[in-house]
Amino acid sequence: MKLENVKAQMRKGVLEYCILSLLSKADAYASDIIAELKSVQMIVVEGTLYPLLTRLKNDELLSYRWEESSQGPPRKYYALTDKGSAFLQELDQSWSQLVVSVAKIKQKN
């Protein structure tokens, strides 16, 4: 088993949670989301983000709006919906429980 593969799978598993968390703070353009995720080493391939944004939008967790840009074509800004906010709260609880469970297992070693 290769460590890099395992690490990549772990990142993929929490990527949606990270996207929702970012958008809970402010609406964002896809490039801004990518930059933020790259800055914390959560995403390597940009193409990974767009299918996730589409899926989250189709699940009504995100919405988007078009804004004119002074630097080119209009930009699509993503925002968390009310349903997305409620889902994020549930994920926050699940994440906390997961962290506690892993910590308990690690303490037993």
Side-chain angles (χ1 to χ4, degrees):
M1 182 177 290
K2 294 186 179 182
L3 178 60
E4 285 307 312
N5 291 345
V6 173
K7 288 167 52 175
Q9 288 301 315
M10 291 171 73
R11 282 192 301 271
K12 284 181 188 178
V14 296
L15 196 52
E16 290 177 11
Y17 180 40
C18 292
I19 292 167
L20 294 174
S21 294
L22 286 172
L23 292 173
S24 72
K25 295 167 183 48
D27 298 356
Y29 178 55
S31 293
D32 296 332
I33 297 169
I34 290 168
E36 185 67 32
L37 292 172
K38 280 186 172 185
S39 76
V40 295
Q41 300 170 346
M42 277 302 300
I43 193 170
V44 178
V45 181
E46 292 179 16
T48 304
L49 179 68
Y50 295 100
L52 285 175
L53 290 172
T54 298
R55 189 167 75 238
L56 292 169
K57 191 237 177 244
N58 290 343
D59 289 343
E60 300 176 347
L61 302 177
L62 300 181
S63 62
Y64 67 82
R65 70 180 184 284
W66 291 97
E67 281 191 17
E68 292 297 322
S69 171
S70 61
Q71 302 173 350
R75 294 180 172 187
K76 187 188 286 187
Y77 281 81
Y78 291 89
L80 207 57
T81 62
D82 290 341
K83 184 176 177 181
S85 293
F87 188 71
L88 178 58
Q89 287 180 349
E90 291 177 28
L91 288 178
D92 285 337
Q93 292 173 351
S94 295
W95 180 257
S96 295
Q97 291 170 350
L98 180 64
V99 169
V100 168
S101 296
V102 171
K104 286 179 182 177
I105 290 170
K106 298 247 334 140
Q107 287 175 354
K108 290 184 177 188
N109 293 335

